[in-house]
Amino acid sequence: MSDSTPATPRPTTTVKVALLGAGNVGAEVARILLDHSTEMAARVGAPIELAGIAVRDLAARRTVELPEELFTTDAEALIDAADVVIELTGGIEPARSRILRALHAGKPVISGNKALIARHGRQLQDAADDAGVPLSYEAAVAGAIPIVRPMADSLAGDRVDRVLGIMNGTTNYILDQMDTTGAQFDDALAEAQRLGYAEADPTADVEGHDAAAKAAILASLAFHSTFTIDDVYCRGITGVTAEDVAAAAEAGYVIKLLAVCERCAGGVNLRVTPTMIPREHPLAGVHGAYNAVFVEAANAGSLMFYGAGAGGAPTASAVLGDFVSAARRLVLGAPAQGAEPHAQLPAVPMDDVRTSFSITLTVQDRLGVLARIAQVFADHGVSIYTMQQKDDPHGTAQRSEIRLVTHRGTNKDLTATVEALRELPFVEDVTGVIRVEHAD
Ligand SMILES: NC(=O)c1ccc[n+]([C@@H]2O[C@H](COP(=O)([O-])OP(=O)(O)OC[C@H]3O[C@@H](n4cnc5c(N)ncnc54)[C@H](O)[C@@H]3O)[C@@H](O)[C@H]2O)c1
Ligand SMILES: N[C@@H](CCO)C(=O)O
Ligand code: NA
């Protein structure tokens, strides 16, 4: 951080900050607050003081060296002594109770806890509104990328129709390594953990729950409604094989864990699934642990937000942006009020939503096979978009591999088609059933 000499802060009382958590993100927040307190104070308009850091284990090894006297295990006492609370511990409890304690006492709260906001965001926002203080969570969605505030403020005068996002750094890192270096899943995951991208329990990353939480948070803001993680249809990447990645590459696609939130008949569908996207789509060029959010709005058109979606320092940047904004408001005595979720659109279940599938079949190569397969698709009202046939690379001359991409069909019809294909006597295997985003 570099600044010209800051103006003298206003002679206001010191803003005391309670930091909960000193892990990957919390430690970086503490470091920046301590190293750049003068610039921060100038931006806030008052002196600031890191009053303490609440942790679970005082003896735990830290990634950043921090003054020992700041550490405490008494989070509640620290909250009570502070003016602003930054929660970076994660999980539902005790994070929720502590945030409520701060809000009920009229203290602004900044949190990066997507798991909590995606489940109890409404309750916490109501508590913040009752107290007239901000609850800010830019870090909770796509790390450093400014997307929560742009969605809540900059796009508040537009109508958002669709949000497509690569919103989990760990899984994007894994899939990108599999795509570009042929890495194995486990090795790529271990590296993502070492780099501090993964959640404490990486199941949340690889099973898609982390991206689903972010989708629920963003969709609530985008569609002025209240969605929770339970409204998101969610499939992770543990079933994606090296063969799937290679087959997608051969067909001109890349597999991403894509979050899609889109208006459809009757409401909004929210889903997180491994998805094939054409190599030329802007989201296909999002590599490593980077995140990107592609927004389609009625008047703004297409917008893309890109940057570091995970990691200590990048996420700390988002936390501190929220902190400066909340602390400034506190110093100015300006009350805060979240926007009402006035539209309250319902979540549309996956069965009724129209998407496309890629399907790979290993079949016995005999007369009439293709006609029977095509009939199964027709029987279920699913139209075929592209089809490729080649000799089974691992098999004999009597076996073929058929790869099909469908036009859009309801999820109910697509899944029923796959089940019916599995039942055909000459179909030996059905693999690589992956959703596809393409323009049809
Ligand atoms: N790591 C990232 O890239 C990233 C990005 C965006 C958001 N987040 C979110 O930020 C939060 C923190 O993530 P992290 O990666 O720093 O986690 P972490 O596991 O590295 O650190 C968690 C910290 O919280 C403390 N803690 C946990 N439970 C506690 C309790 N009950 N009382 C007091 N302290 C407790 C731990 O001692 C540790 O210092 C999470 O909500 C996470 O989802 C992380
Ligand atoms: N575990 C998350 C951290 C950012 O939320 C990720 O991999 O994207
Ligand atoms: Na963000």
Side-chain angles (χ1 to χ4, degrees):
M1 190 188 303
S2 70
D3 248 0
S4 53
T5 313
T8 312
R10 292 173 201 210
T12 321
T13 47
T14 299
V15 175
K16 294 201 186 79
V17 187
L19 176 60
L20 314 185
N24 289 309
V25 186
E28 287 297 328
V29 167
R31 178 186 65 78
I32 300 167
L33 273 178
L34 292 169
D35 290 356
H36 300 279
S37 62
T38 316
E39 295 106 301
M40 291 287 173
R43 294 171 198 176
V44 164
I48 56 164
E49 178 197 331
L50 180 55
I53 308 172
V55 291
R56 205 168 20 194
D57 176 8
L58 289 175
R61 265 189 58 223
R62 313 277 162 219
T63 50
V64 176
E65 210 167 300
L66 296 165
E68 265 180 35
E69 63 276 14
L70 287 179
F71 286 93
T72 174
T73 52
D74 192 347
E76 280 69 24
L78 182 61
I79 292 167
D80 294 347
D83 302 304
V84 177
V85 175
I86 301 179
E87 185 275 314
L88 293 167
T89 55
I92 304 297
E93 285 295 348
R96 177 172 66 152
S97 305
R98 289 174 178 169
I99 290 177
L100 285 171
R101 182 185 187 99
L103 293 173
H104 289 150
K107 301 177 184 191
V109 173
I110 295 99
S111 173
N113 192 335
K114 50 259 159 140
L116 175 64
I117 308 284
R119 199 159 282 292
H120 300 288
R122 195 62 246 157
Q123 181 200 18
L124 299 178
Q125 189 61 58
D126 285 344
D129 290 349
D130 288 347
V133 294
L135 167 70
S136 317
Y137 43 89
E138 183 57 76
V141 183
I145 304 175
I147 184 66
V148 170
R149 280 200 272 166
M151 194 63 89
D153 294 338
S154 318
L155 289 166
D158 208 331
R159 174 193 149 106
V160 174
D161 290 317
R162 198 155 89 119
V163 180
L164 296 178
I166 295 173
M167 300 201 283
N168 180 266
T170 302
T171 48
N172 202 55
Y173 183 85
I174 294 171
L175 292 172
D176 191 44
Q177 290 287 305
M178 289 171 81
D179 183 51
T180 56
T181 71
Q184 296 296 321
F185 182 94
D186 289 341
D187 294 340
L189 171 59
E191 187 60 5
Q193 285 176 294
R194 194 186 67 75
L195 293 167
Y197 305 144
E199 295 302 301
D201 174 4
T203 315
D205 296 299
V206 297
E207 295 298 350
H209 306 150
D210 178 76
K214 293 164 182 170
I217 296 170
L218 215 47
S220 299
L221 298 169
F223 301 106
H224 309 280
S225 301
T226 307
F227 299 114
T228 73
I229 189 166
D230 294 335
D231 294 316
V232 186
Y233 174 89
C234 179
R235 294 287 177 274
I237 65 162
T238 49
V240 177
T241 63
E243 288 73 33
D244 294 335
V245 173
E250 200 182 305
Y253 291 89
V254 59
I255 301 177
K256 296 290 189 189
L257 184 67
L258 200 68
V260 180
C261 313
E262 62 185 355
R263 281 183 199 270
C264 52
V268 177
N269 176 248
L270 297 92
R271 57 183 185 271
V272 169
T273 62
T275 306
M276 288 165 54
I277 52 178
R279 289 260 167 199
E280 58 275 14
H281 192 285
L283 288 174
V286 177
H287 296 289
Y290 280 93
N291 282 193
V293 184
F294 195 83
V295 182
E296 294 168 12
N299 301 308
S302 296
L303 305 165
M304 182 144 134
F305 300 79
Y306 170 85
T315 308
S317 165
V319 170
L320 288 163
D322 279 347
F323 163 70
V324 169
S325 170
R328 256 186 87 71
R329 194 177 274 279
L330 190 73
V331 168
L332 295 171
Q337 196 75 30
E340 274 298 303
H342 63 87
Q344 288 300 17
L345 298 173
V348 174
M350 199 62 198
D351 267 358
D352 304 332
V353 171
R354 297 177 66 79
T355 62
S356 301
F357 270 11
S358 173
I359 303 165
T360 303
L361 306 169
T362 307
V363 300
Q364 292 160 13
D365 193 1
R366 21 188 178 92
L367 189 69
V369 161
L370 216 48
R372 289 283 306 281
I373 289 172
Q375 192 58 50
V376 168
F377 280 86
D379 289 347
H380 290 86
V382 174
S383 166
I384 295 169
Y385 178 60
T386 61
M387 199 210 76
Q388 274 180 303
Q389 178 175 357
K390 62 178 186 181
D391 289 343
D392 175 9
H394 313 295
T396 66
Q398 290 89 41
R399 219 174 261 128
S400 282
E401 189 182 86
I402 299 176
R403 278 195 220 137
L404 300 123
V405 176
T406 71
H407 279 287
R408 283 178 190 269
T410 64
N411 202 59
K412 199 180 350 181
D413 291 341
L414 289 168
T415 351
T417 305
V418 171
E419 287 316 310
L421 289 169
R422 287 191 206 281
E423 297 301 312
L424 292 175
F426 51 81
V427 171
E428 297 191 349
D429 208 358
V430 182
T431 54
V433 180
I434 298 181
R435 224 167 286 279
V436 185
E437 277 298 321
H438 60 79
D440 66 328

